[in-house]
Amino acid sequence: ETGVTQTPRHLVMGMTNKKSLKCEQHLGHNAMYWYKQSAKKPLELMFVYSLEERVENNSVPSRFSPECPNSSHLFLHLHTLQPEDSALYLCASSQLTAGYEQYFGPGTRLTVT
Amino acid sequence: GNSVTQMEGPVTLSEEAFLTINCTYTATGYPSLFWYVQYPGEGLQLLLKATKADDKGSNKGFEATYRKETTSFHLEKGSVQVSDSAVYFCALASNSGNTPLVFGKGTRLSVIA
């Protein structure tokens, strides 16, 4: 595998479910990101990890919980979501947080019913 | 703070037409500038970049020149194809501090045969 991979690609979950999104980067990068992309809205940065430490959390509701066990893996744990959380969730990585381009995965299309 | 402004879409062009998508930025120092493309159902892909003033980034027939005097990085292509239909994002990376990429809101391009 090369680049940034995300699983699953599609997820449908009820509001009481708990699920996790997984991201893996094969680029040797030190920073990883979660973004939310909703229809008709700008790209929203949710979480930033640098060297496995969270460096930014843009006021994301606690029903989203990130985890970065090592520099290659990033998870987004989901619980008691709302229908408005339905969106495309994108993972990205970069060499460092400042000054470098990011490389994106294909995204997970999440639908909350 | 740093910001990116790009033209509102959607933009609809006929095949072989000339494309310009405007992007201007506000930043301190000397940022790096990027264009990303997002095809339907996919993540963002880096299209081209420029790291200093007067640099021209190019890829797949697309070009953009880093103009510090006008703080602009407009995307151009001489002859678009139906396969260029996508959403295009302008982005800025500061070379100082710990700030990740700043993205514009995206411009949707539709090319019709």
Side-chain angles (χ1 to χ4, degrees):
Chain A
E1 293 263 27
T2 58
V4 181
T5 57
Q6 290 186 243
T7 55
R9 293 294 309 274
H10 300 273
L11 178 62
V12 179
M13 58 186 290
M15 289 190 284
T16 58
N17 291 159
K18 290 185 180 181
K19 297 286 185 183
S20 295
L21 309 185
K22 178 183 176 182
C23 175
E24 185 173 0
Q25 58 97 0
H26 309 268
L27 300 168
H29 288 165
N30 294 304
M32 297 187 76
Y33 312 81
W34 280 116
Y35 288 87
K36 177 183 178 182
Q37 188 177 39
S38 306
K40 313 278 186 197
K41 293 178 72 174
L43 202 59
E44 299 174 53
L45 178 62
M46 300 175 72
F47 299 104
V48 180
Y49 277 83
S50 178
L51 299 170
E52 302 151 43
E53 289 192 16
R54 190 191 305 180
V55 297
E56 191 163 326
N57 171 1
N58 287 327
S59 303
V60 178
S62 59
R63 57 186 183 269
F64 295 92
S65 175
E67 179 189 1
C68 187
N70 56 61
S71 60
S72 299
H73 294 85
L74 185 65
F75 295 89
L76 188 63
H77 304 299
L78 316 171
H79 64 98
T80 59
L81 294 191
Q82 305 298 311
E84 61 265 28
D85 297 322
S86 298
L88 181 68
Y89 288 85
L90 292 164
C91 175
S93 71
S94 63
Q95 184 61 43
L96 295 169
T97 52
Y100 290 87
E101 62 267 33
Q102 294 175 15
Y103 293 85
F104 284 78
T108 295
R109 174 67 62 186
L110 173 67
T111 302
V112 181
T113 61
Chain B
N2 298 336
S3 66
V4 173
T5 303
Q6 60 182 107
M7 61 189 287
E8 296 276 338
V11 174
T12 302
L13 295 174
S14 298
E15 209 165 20
E16 299 183 3
F18 185 86
L19 168 71
T20 300
I21 300 178
N22 290 338
C23 171
T24 57
Y25 67 90
T26 302
T28 54
Y30 302 92
S32 297
L33 300 171
F34 309 90
W35 277 101
Y36 281 82
V37 59
Q38 185 178 30
Y39 299 104
E42 299 183 13
L44 279 68
Q45 299 175 26
L46 180 63
L47 180 60
L48 55 83
K49 68 178 184 180
T51 57
K52 61 183 187 295
D54 299 324
D55 267 3
K56 177 186 284 188
S58 61
N59 186 22
K60 300 181 181 179
F62 291 89
E63 294 183 340
T65 301
Y66 187 158
R67 301 282 189 204
K68 188 163 177 63
E69 64 275 13
T70 54
T71 61
S72 65
F73 193 55
H74 305 320
L75 182 68
E76 297 182 335
K77 186 175 186 182
S79 176
V80 294
Q81 305 301 310
V82 172
S83 57
D84 294 325
S85 298
V87 181
Y88 292 83
F89 294 88
C90 186
L92 173 157
S94 172
N95 290 313
S96 61
N98 205 27
T99 309
L101 283 188
V102 174
F103 286 89
K105 294 182 178 180
T107 302
R108 181 174 299 278
L109 170 67
S110 295
V111 181
I112 53 177

